[in-house]
């Protein structure tokens, strides 16, 4: 575990994953954490939306993603853990899979909300989909 991707959405479960890595950094002094925040595409209704408006919406989403990542950045900086931030717009699982490949991550560490099997059946689970779709180990932090 040297080059780790953390899908970070600012939730308490995502913060637990970052705290776990802060502690793990003692055992892995060369740890590099890639924080990834993915914003969903805007839902637009109507027949025509100017390209400039789409770009403004996208840039606003990226700016919001950076503000979400900022909390995890503070935690990692305070512990002197190396990190890089990544912000994007799209489908969370698709972007996680792409980030693992693009940044040569050897592990994904992510928090779970603990919905249980019934909740996963009804709502689906990003964590479950990530486990099945990435080709590296996934560590789920409760």
């Amino acid at each position: 575990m040297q080059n780790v991707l953390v899908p970070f959405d600012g939730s308490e479960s995502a913060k637990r994953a970052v705290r776990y890595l802060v502690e793990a950094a003692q055992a892995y002094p060369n740890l590099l954490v890639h924080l990834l925040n993915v914003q969903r595409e805007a839902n637009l209704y109507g027949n025509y939306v100017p390209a400039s408006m789409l770009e403004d919406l996208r840039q606003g989403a990226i700016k919001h993603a950076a503000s979400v990542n900022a909390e995890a950045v503070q935690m990692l900086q305070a512990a002197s853990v190396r990190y890089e931030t990544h912000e994007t717009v799209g489908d969370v699982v698709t972007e996680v899979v792409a980030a693992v490949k693009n940044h040569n991550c050897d592990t994904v560490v992510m928090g779970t909300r603990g919905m249980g099997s019934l909740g996963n059946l009804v709502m689906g689970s990003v964590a479950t989909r990530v486990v099945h779709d990435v080709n590296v180990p996934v560590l789920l932090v409760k």
Side-chain angles (χ1 to χ4, degrees), residues 6-12 14-15 18 35-39 60-75 85-88 113:
V6 178
F8 188 78
D9 63 2
S11 66
E12 192 54 43
K15 292 174 193 174
V18 173
L35 292 171
L36 174 67
N37 181 275
V38 180
Q39 295 295 307
I62 295 294
K63 184 176 179 181
H64 177 69
S67 70
V68 172
N69 271 345
E71 187 172 3
V73 164
Q74 289 178 343
M75 295 165 62
T85 60
H86 310 281
E87 295 85 18
T88 191
R113 291 194 168 93

Side-chain angles (χ1 to χ4, degrees), residues 82-97:
R82 293 183 318 134
Y83 68 89
E84 294 180 8
T85 60
H86 310 281
E87 295 85 18
T88 191
V89 176
D91 172 68
V92 175
V93 176
T94 302
E95 295 300 327
V96 167
V97 171

